[in-house]
Amino acid sequence: MGRLEELADSIISGKADAAVAATEGALADGTPAAEVLTDGLIAGMQVVGERFKNHEFYVPEVLIAARAMKMSMAILRPQLVEQDYEPVGTVAIGTVRGDLHDIGKNLVAMMLEGAGFEIMDLGIDVTPEQFVQAVKDGAGIIALSALLTTTMPAMKDTVEALNAAGIRDQVKVIIGGAPVTETYANDIGADGYGPDAASAAEIATELIAA
Amino acid sequence: MSALTVLPDGSRAESVEDNNVLESLRRHGTILTSPCGGEGTCGKCRIRVEEGSVNAPTPQERGLLGAALDAGDRLACQTTVQSDATVRIPASSRVPNVRVLTGGAPREVPFFPNVRRRTFTWERERLTDVESLVDAVAGMLDARADLRVDLPVVRELATGLEYGKTYEATIIGDRLVAVAPEAAAADPLGVALDLGTTTVVAQVVNLTTGEAVGTDSRMNDQSRFGSDVIARINHCFTEDHGLGELQDAVLSTIKECMAASGVDPSHVYEAVAVGNTTMMHLLAGISPESLGQLPYTPVMRAGVDVPASDFPMPFSDAASVHLMPGIAGYVGADTVAAMLAAGYDEEYDGVRLLADIGTNCELVLQRGAEIVACSTPAGPAFEGARLEHGMLAGPGAIERVTIGDTCEIRVVGRGEPSGICGSGVVDVTAQLLEAGIIEMTGRLVSGEDIPESLSDDIRDRIQSTEYGPIFVVARRDDGETVHVTQRDIRETQLAKAAVRTGIDTLLHSMDIRAADIDELLIAGGFGSYLNTANARRLGMIPDIDDEKIKYIGNAAIVGARLALISSEMRARGEELSRRVKHVQVALLPSFQDRFAEAMLFE
């Protein structure tokens, strides 16, 4: 098995030590950091995402995988900067106003990071104004999460705030969370809907390529 | 502050701020009869001062006690101590205790319902020197000076009473609500109501004897608007008449419970309702919208009394409904009631933890007099909801599972299994884990990963479907199976992680280790049974010895009943609701990480 396959495997099984060893080994072999990222780390996270989508993996497995991913990323990041690696895009992500549910939002952030995005994590209880500011700060995509039907209306408010600020055309909006549906996404004028963390990363990748 | 020695038992009480003896004794847990509410008009709270300095007798005492004053008799409500003192309390002055089974240790509580029957003889002589017939009745009843008389009774007084005859008066708190010839009316009844998101329980209690005379529980009719409180709150947000629909739904459920209980509803004079904060809002017709968003602040928290006719509830026209107070948006009146059942109104020598496990899990930690409470979202798995074959603990529910060479089950009612309830879910998950059929991450094994040590029967039960692997818990005679799916295991992981994270966070907030817990009281909808070893195996509860764990069943309904039969317990519930410290665990920065970690099995 090659170093990059090893890296992907250790990400999937959540073995942080093995992931670190494979990352360091690959870099020592002279593999460019961008290739380690794409063919090792991102490839591994893609499998994690698929398994999560198919209910084979659950929150704990994704978290363990993400822990391994982060350790590997910590080694890769300085090299990527040195080699002028450009992230796929920048996503500002947050749980909307009135809602404190963090786990789903964190999973999406991990998947997005695993898909090569730069993440601006705005946290929980994020107001429409904060999302507007994130766009002004350079986010190309904003990702909104809500776990309660009672807080979903804040998604609509956020899209309207982007319209009011006149910056709606500078940003793609994706939404998700247990009670959110594709219909709702269309109704409020969002650009995409992710039924799960893996799909959210796929949609973000498509939107940025479009 | 002075010390009071209380005879005959010799216990010691401390005087309260104004040194009033009645109140000092009450704080000490010694409750004296005082139907007049401590006004010095009924003469029931008689005590004898044997030592110490007290105030001079009041004019009321001179009138009521006369010569007995010389022997040292006093009325506790009129007496203030001026030094350390010794008082003797005759048995006749004490409120009798009543023993209530709680699921845990039975409680002896002062029997003093808010609804009381008193007799009086309508005497012509007593009608002179009073301002009105109403005042005359109040005097004959030895009732509190602020007694109010309901208008229908006033009308009755004008024409309906015969001189020399004895009548029974029904009093609710400070209201005289009915007068009837002696022995004509049946004993007054009260109803304890536990309004759960999923299940409503109504228990009818005879308020003369304190005995429960009937209990009925059924699915909350609000369920058709969604299975959790958020769905109900959202219904109020999105539908024009949403709030009214939800209030009507719970009222119709209560009506069905009453019909099933078989008692004459016109004999019911009071109900005490408990429930989670959303249920209490919906019952009262108060919009719960503020509970649907951060910071989850309830509109109301304090206990209130509402005329039953306002709802309406199917009781006597004069009946009153007491809504017990809650603590916070997600720690409700049901938790206050459960605390009363568990004895949290008294200081505890050690550390104990109460876990009321439902769709929302409430946790209350007590050390000495200090109490901290929190809630965590467990989801409905332990109530059998949202699982492929989940059901409430009732006939047909698999409540115990043991996996060895085969899979042994016990079914509620011993008939054919039709589903699996909370305790069965705990068992099957723990047993699958123990057998190596579930991995540490919660994954159900399949194919090559199935341990070879398993018997053929068990191996046959691990099946793959288009929705992923399942484990067959029982095969029915009709060929159908009762099974758990991978998704069911995930729901159980969420539930157990929520419970455990709440427990750990609460322990952490008081700097207590799990090993320091002297008593763990588990309440909730597991049915009649919870295997604590399996609950420990899941990591749902920390490593605590079996003898320290008690399963106390539905503590909320017991607490509601205590508040129904004992005004003292009702007052203590009110005190608790104000005194308990609430921790908003989900807002603590470490919570989400801990929650996610806790989903793993060790």
Side-chain angles (χ1 to χ4, degrees), chain B residues 194-215:
Chain B
D194 174 25
L195 311 175
T197 310
T198 310
T199 313
V200 170
V201 183
Q203 187 169 66
V204 183
V205 177
N206 180 317
L207 293 178
T208 301
T209 64
E211 283 165 15
V213 295
T215 303

Side-chain angles (χ1 to χ4, degrees), chain B residues 403-406 432-437 445 447-459 462:
Chain B
I403 296 173
D405 283 340
T406 181
L432 288 173
L433 199 54
E434 201 55 37
I437 301 166
V445 296
E448 290 171 6
D449 295 336
I450 298 174
E452 287 183 11
S453 57
L454 297 176
S455 72
D456 288 345
D457 175 58
I458 297 298
R459 294 175 72 91
I462 307 169

Side-chain angles (χ1 to χ4, degrees), chain A residues 55-61 63-64 67 97-103 106 124-125 147-151, chain B residues 230-231 233-234 237 292-294 296 441 443 486-487 490-491 493-494 586-587 592 595-597 599-600:
Chain A
H55 304 290
E56 272 176 75
F57 270 20
Y58 196 45
V59 178
E61 284 105 320
L63 291 176
I64 302 170
R67 208 154 55 193
R97 185 186 58 209
D99 203 325
L100 55 72
H101 292 87
D102 213 6
I103 294 176
N106 289 347
I124 59 166
D125 196 14
L147 204 80
L148 305 178
T149 43
T150 48
T151 55
Chain B
I230 292 297
I233 296 169
N234 194 49
F237 263 109
Q293 294 203 24
L294 282 171
Y296 308 120
T441 55
R443 196 172 75 88
Q486 179 68 71
R487 189 171 270 209
R490 301 312 194 186
E491 288 286 342
Q493 277 179 282
L494 273 181
L587 280 179
Q592 304 275 344
F595 186 24
E597 292 268 341
M599 286 179 207
L600 289 170

Side-chain angles (χ1 to χ4, degrees), chain B residues 114-115 172 189-193 202-203 207 254 258 268-274 283 304-308 311 313-315 318-324 560-561 563-564 570:
Chain B
N114 195 39
V115 174
I172 307 175
L189 301 175
V191 180
L193 292 169
Q203 187 169 66
L207 293 178
I254 293 169
M258 291 309 297
V268 174
Y269 284 96
E270 191 175 49
V272 169
V274 305
L283 176 68
V304 288
D305 293 292
V306 187
F311 291 100
M313 283 199 206
F315 305 142
S320 175
V321 179
H322 179 72
L323 309 182
M324 289 254 294
R561 180 170 151 208
L564 186 62
R570 193 178 296 187

Side-chain angles (χ1 to χ4, degrees), chain B residues 8-148:
Chain B
D9 66 356
S11 62
R12 310 266 287 179
E14 280 177 357
S15 67
V16 293
E17 210 160 85
D18 68 358
N19 293 314
N20 178 282
V21 173
L22 182 69
E23 181 59 19
S24 305
L25 290 171
R26 191 186 83 76
R27 294 279 176 85
H28 174 58
T30 305
I31 317 298
L32 304 193
T33 345
S34 57
C36 75
E39 300 285 338
T41 58
C42 72
K44 301 285 186 201
C45 61
R46 207 185 258 222
I47 56 167
R48 179 163 292 185
V49 180
E50 299 203 340
E51 266 175 50
S53 167
V54 294
N55 65 328
T58 63
Q60 289 103 309
E61 287 178 285
R62 285 201 204 94
L64 285 161
L65 297 174
L69 277 172
D70 299 333
D73 279 10
R74 296 291 304 265
L75 296 181
C77 69
Q78 300 296 301
T79 310
T80 53
V81 289
Q82 292 160 345
S83 70
D84 289 356
T86 301
V87 296
R88 179 175 295 275
I89 301 169
S92 56
S93 296
R94 275 183 196 261
V95 167
N97 273 0
V98 62
R99 193 180 158 89
V100 176
L101 297 174
T102 65
R107 289 208 70 177
E108 296 265 346
V109 300
F111 183 62
F112 191 56
N114 195 39
V115 174
R116 296 178 300 282
R117 273 279 162 79
R118 302 183 71 80
T119 56
F120 66 95
T121 304
W122 190 238
E123 289 167 86
R124 190 157 190 262
E125 306 83 76
R126 305 267 313 246
L127 303 187
T128 47
D129 297 333
V130 291
E131 306 293 332
S132 68
L133 299 189
V134 166
D135 293 319
V137 170
M140 290 177 205
L141 288 171
D142 292 333
R144 41 203 282 184
D146 59 353
L147 185 77
R148 294 180 295 127

Side-chain angles (χ1 to χ4, degrees), chain A:
Chain A
M1 193 170 6
R3 296 272 196 210
L4 298 184
E5 270 182 307
E6 253 173 59
L7 174 57
D9 266 7
S10 30
I11 299 278
I12 296 162
S13 54
K15 294 189 181 106
D17 293 347
V20 167
T23 309
E24 281 169 346
L27 291 174
D29 291 347
T31 319
E35 202 180 316
V36 179
L37 179 73
T38 318
D39 297 343
L41 213 146
I42 293 178
M45 282 309 275
Q46 257 165 3
V47 175
V48 172
E50 264 162 44
R51 293 197 180 168
F52 183 65
K53 203 151 109 178
N54 299 333
H55 304 290
E56 272 176 75
F57 270 20
Y58 196 45
V59 178
E61 284 105 320
V62 178
L63 291 176
I64 302 170
R67 208 154 55 193
M69 175 190 85
K70 284 203 175 296
M71 306 268 290
S72 166
M73 197 65 189
I75 300 164
L76 281 180
R77 191 168 282 124
Q79 304 270 339
L80 290 168
V81 172
E82 210 168 276
Q83 295 169 21
D84 290 329
Y85 175 79
E86 283 288 322
V88 187
T90 302
V91 182
I93 186 167
T95 306
V96 297
R97 185 186 58 209
D99 203 325
L100 55 72
H101 292 87
D102 213 6
I103 294 176
K105 182 265 294 173
N106 289 347
L107 291 181
V108 175
M110 286 163 196
M111 286 300 162
L112 287 166
E113 196 176 355
F117 284 91
E118 173 101 20
I119 304 298
M120 293 163 71
D121 189 343
L122 305 180
I124 59 166
D125 196 14
V126 180
T127 61
E129 295 72 34
Q130 287 172 284
F131 279 112
V132 167
Q133 187 56 47
V135 177
K136 291 179 180 164
D137 292 343
I141 295 181
I142 60 172
L144 315 179
S145 166
L147 204 80
L148 305 178
T149 43
T150 48
T151 55
M152 269 168 59
M155 293 180 152
K156 185 165 184 261
D157 296 345
T158 304
V159 174
E160 279 167 8
L162 293 170
N163 283 326
I167 52 174
R168 180 67 186 87
D169 54 350
Q170 298 169 29
V171 66
K172 300 289 183 192
V173 179
I174 59 173
I175 68 172
V180 181
T181 60
E182 180 136 36
T183 316
Y184 182 73
N186 293 335
D187 285 352
I188 67 165
D191 299 297
Y193 156 73
D196 58 75
S199 313
E202 284 165 19
I203 287 156
T205 309
E206 281 168 28
L207 284 173
I208 218 82

